[in-house]
Amino acid sequence: MNAIIKPKMGLCILGIESSCDDTAAAVISDGVLLSNCVANQEVHEKFGGVVPELASRAHLQNIIPVVDLALSKAGIAKDKISAIAFTSGPGLLGSLLVGTSFAKGFAQALSVPLIEVHHLQAHILVHFIKSAGKDYNPPSFPFLCLLVSGGHTQIVLVKDYLKMEVIGKTIDDAAGEAFDKSAKIMGLPYPGGPFIDKLAKEGDKDRFSFSKPRIAGLNFSFSGLKTSFLYFLKDEMAKDPGFIERNKADLAASLQKTIVEILLSKLKKAVIETGVQEIALAGGVSANLGLRSALLDEGMKRHWRIHIPEFSYTTDNAAMIAITGYYKFQNREFSDMSVVPRARMEI
Ligand code: KG4
Ligand code: ZN
């Protein structure tokens, strides 16, 4: 496509996110967020997890209304859009296809550049979103980002906006999966992470202890924790069928404490190995109150500079896609109409 880069009052990026079960659109003008809209898909709740076919169908229904809402909330007419940024992966292929196809069609109709965005890079760049009336205190480069979501758990060395290196990652489940799968074992709704977080506030985090992995280097593992949690509960429920119900707050608090300790022990190691003491948190699990406060405490103790994202930027959103598009636009990193979504892609 021969896109025209129109001179505009501001560099206005429309971001579109559809990698999993949230259909989201946002507008960022000159790095300042003007709107951030999301349509959550409740259809998956009764299945205890995201059903890919249902997700694609819901994205199809939601995408036009969500984009329309984002533009109207931003007070931006279509012809003021400078470029369209969209998530090209990683994620569910059918879901990604909806956002990709919409972005391609809209970019072609408006004759503006198309920018593909890596979903995980975008989670990290939330720290560079400016909001009117709010302090802007972004991390300085290089920094380490603990990226914890439903599908990924990584420690990323961020050298510049678009220069990132994964220095540690999970070899099996992600931290979000550890929360969600353990919550499911306890009979909590999907996704269970926020429910564990809420219950944990009332519980005793030292009441139960669960096994922690011994993995070399900066990699993580969470599948052993889930298994030990499952067998512990099976044994206790065999003795007392009311065990989970009566102990759910203590179980949640103890589980959360274990996940947080696993995450922070590798982060401490990464700080020692890299010498980088500027630390950011990102991804859906960064909404977790236990993780946020443990990281702040650790930072205070060790004189790290800590950057905690706003709650609205933790789980999947399109503001993160738009801000990544903003930096890619400045680097002139555009895609053409042959771009295709990919379920798996490295940072
Ligand atoms: O980043 P995200 O929205 O989607 C992915 O890219 O995966 O992350 C979703 C994950 C889910 O596993 C969800 O349970 C978890 O983030 N999550 C939380 C909390 N809020 C969301 N986990 C623990 N505590 C929370 N408060
Ligand atoms: Zn995500």
Side-chain angles (χ1 to χ4, degrees):
M1 181 186 49
N2 236 348
I4 305 158
I5 300 166
K6 297 174 189 167
K8 296 269 161 57
M9 291 161 356
L11 179 53
C12 186
I13 310 288
L14 170 66
I16 293 171
E17 154 64 29
S18 73
S19 65
C20 191
D21 59 339
D22 294 315
T23 323
V27 177
I28 278 191
S29 179
D30 287 334
V32 180
L33 185 70
L34 299 185
S35 65
N36 191 20
C37 302
V38 56
N40 304 115
Q41 302 180 0
E42 274 147 27
V43 63
H44 308 285
E45 269 166 29
K46 59 177 175 288
F47 299 101
V50 177
V51 183
E53 289 78 6
L54 296 180
S56 326
R57 230 176 291 165
H59 282 305
L60 274 174
Q61 285 165 351
N62 293 339
I63 194 146
I64 292 175
V66 170
V67 169
D68 198 40
L69 185 65
L71 289 173
S72 68
K73 278 198 169 173
I76 291 287
K78 288 195 290 273
D79 67 343
K80 295 284 181 288
I81 296 172
S82 315
I84 297 180
F86 70 99
T87 309
S88 59
L92 299 172
L93 204 54
S95 293
L96 290 165
L97 261 173
V98 177
T100 305
S101 311
F102 179 86
K104 281 185 184 180
F106 204 22
Q108 196 153 36
L110 298 176
S111 285
V112 295
L114 184 63
I115 302 172
E116 68 167 309
V117 168
H118 191 296
H119 181 85
L120 299 177
Q121 260 188 357
H123 267 301
I124 295 171
L125 293 182
V126 295
H127 291 282
F128 298 94
I129 299 171
K130 294 180 190 144
S131 296
K134 287 196 185 150
D135 285 348
Y136 180 65
N137 188 17
S140 47
F141 300 112
F143 65 91
L144 289 174
C145 185
L146 178 62
L147 173 58
V148 275
S149 75
H152 297 85
T153 295
Q154 302 182 333
I155 300 178
V156 184
L157 175 61
V158 186
K159 299 168 188 169
D160 204 343
Y161 298 108
L162 301 169
K163 258 195 230 143
M164 304 183 183
E165 185 192 340
V166 178
I167 58 171
K169 62 182 178 184
T170 181
I171 58 166
D172 42 52
D173 288 349
E177 278 174 294
F179 273 108
D180 296 344
K181 289 179 177 174
S182 305
K184 196 168 178 177
I185 296 167
M186 287 174 66
L188 297 170
Y190 177 86
F195 292 93
I196 297 275
D197 194 0
K198 209 164 156 209
L199 280 170
K201 272 187 245 161
E202 318 290 323
D204 172 2
K205 63 183 182 344
D206 299 316
R207 171 93 188 281
F208 304 109
S209 63
F210 304 108
S211 75
K212 281 195 227 150
R214 281 193 214 115
I215 305 288
L218 298 176
N219 286 341
F220 300 93
S221 166
F222 287 100
S223 65
L225 170 62
K226 172 197 65 195
T227 312
S228 102
F229 191 68
L230 174 69
Y231 284 111
F232 171 72
L233 288 185
K234 267 191 174 166
D235 286 350
E236 294 301 327
M237 291 294 278
K239 291 182 250 164
D240 166 16
F243 181 82
I244 293 181
E245 191 48 39
R246 273 188 293 99
N247 295 289
K248 58 187 181 198
D250 292 347
L251 284 166
S254 305
L255 176 82
Q256 181 169 293
K257 178 192 167 200
T258 312
I259 295 174
V260 169
E261 283 179 356
I262 295 171
L263 291 169
L264 291 191
S265 76
K266 291 300 170 115
L267 187 60
K268 281 181 230 167
K269 208 167 176 183
V271 171
I272 293 167
E273 284 187 16
T274 60
V276 174
Q277 298 202 323
E278 185 96 15
I279 313 288
L281 196 55
V285 179
S286 68
N288 185 268
L289 294 178
L291 176 59
R292 292 164 86 97
S293 73
L295 182 57
L296 284 170
D297 288 351
E298 205 64 50
M300 196 101 90
K301 222 165 47 193
R302 294 170 189 268
H303 308 291
W304 298 346
R305 273 192 66 200
I306 303 293
H307 301 268
I308 305 272
E310 267 186 38
F311 283 108
S312 58
Y313 301 152
T314 56
T315 46
D316 290 349
N317 63 86
M320 68 186 200
I321 307 303
I323 193 69
T324 309
Y326 173 74
Y327 287 108
K328 288 191 112 177
F329 190 106
Q330 291 176 22
N331 269 2
R332 294 290 186 267
E333 287 185 39
F334 302 128
S335 303
D336 62 30
M337 284 294 154
S338 65
V339 64
V340 287
R342 278 161 293 159
R344 289 170 180 276
M345 54 200 283
E346 299 300 319
I347 275 189

